[in-house]
Amino acid sequence: MKNVLLAGIFGAALTVSCSTAKTAQQNRAEFLKLKGDWEITSVDYDKSYRIKPFDEGADAQCFVGSHWRLIPNNYSGAYTLNGGGSCPSLTRPIKFEVKDGNIFQFKKIEDGTKAKQNIAGYSLTMVNQGTDQFSLQQNVPFNGEIVRVTYNFQRTAGK
């Protein structure tokens, strides 16, 4: 009887560990699909608000046409705002990861600092992910309300 009980417990533990490993592999596969160059084609939000994403001091529309390079194998990347009009021209290195299969987290890396020294960052929800496009949604609190901002990405190169 003891042996049957032990075999049952071992079997259950093996099943749980295999399903956890399979989920981790699926999450990793989805994460690796982000490799390449991307462009934000649109930023959708309630236009009655003035949104300045990621503490850049630039209007959300300045991010339309921005270039994002994502390199999942070392969790690094960068985004570049093209500038023009009232939009700044800048390139910002980032470190990023995807948690639980759909939470895209990133932090900006400032000149002269290491990623581990920067504990502040941004957390967005990944939606509508396909081979050549995906969207990130950010909930921004404002005066007791939540403003949802959606950044729509299109692949420009790399796979």
Side-chain angles (χ1 to χ4, degrees), residues 9-146:
I9 291 172
F10 179 72
L14 186 60
T15 302
V16 169
S17 68
C18 287
S19 65
T20 302
K22 187 174 183 178
T23 300
Q25 282 180 324
Q26 288 171 338
N27 286 344
R28 180 76 179 150
E30 291 299 313
F31 180 58
L32 291 174
K33 288 180 184 177
L34 294 176
K35 180 181 181 179
D37 295 331
W38 300 85
E39 178 180 318
I40 294 182
T41 56
S42 64
V43 180
D44 303 324
Y45 59 97
D46 182 343
K47 301 295 192 263
S48 63
Y49 294 97
R50 188 162 181 215
I51 305 292
K52 293 185 175 186
F54 315 127
D55 299 320
E56 291 296 356
D59 185 85
Q61 294 308 310
C62 293
F63 282 82
V64 174
S66 64
H67 174 259
W68 292 61
R69 172 164 286 171
L70 301 176
I71 308 167
N73 64 332
N74 66 2
Y75 302 92
S76 68
Y79 62 83
T80 300
L81 300 184
N82 300 323
S86 62
C87 297
S89 176
L90 63 87
T91 297
R92 182 81 60 203
I94 64 170
K95 285 289 190 179
F96 76 101
E97 64 182 326
V98 176
K99 292 205 172 212
D100 299 327
N102 71 334
I103 304 299
F104 184 93
Q105 296 179 325
F106 79 95
K107 56 185 174 180
K108 300 184 298 185
I109 308 302
E110 302 294 333
D111 288 338
T113 63
K114 294 183 179 188
K116 64 183 176 184
Q117 293 172 319
N118 181 2
I119 58 170
Y122 306 91
S123 183
L124 299 95
T125 304
M126 187 179 296
V127 295
N128 304 324
Q129 183 179 7
T131 304
D132 293 322
Q133 84 283 332
F134 69 94
S135 298
L136 295 176
Q137 289 183 340
Q138 181 180 30
N139 292 327
V140 180
F142 182 77
N143 286 343
E145 296 182 28
I146 297 293

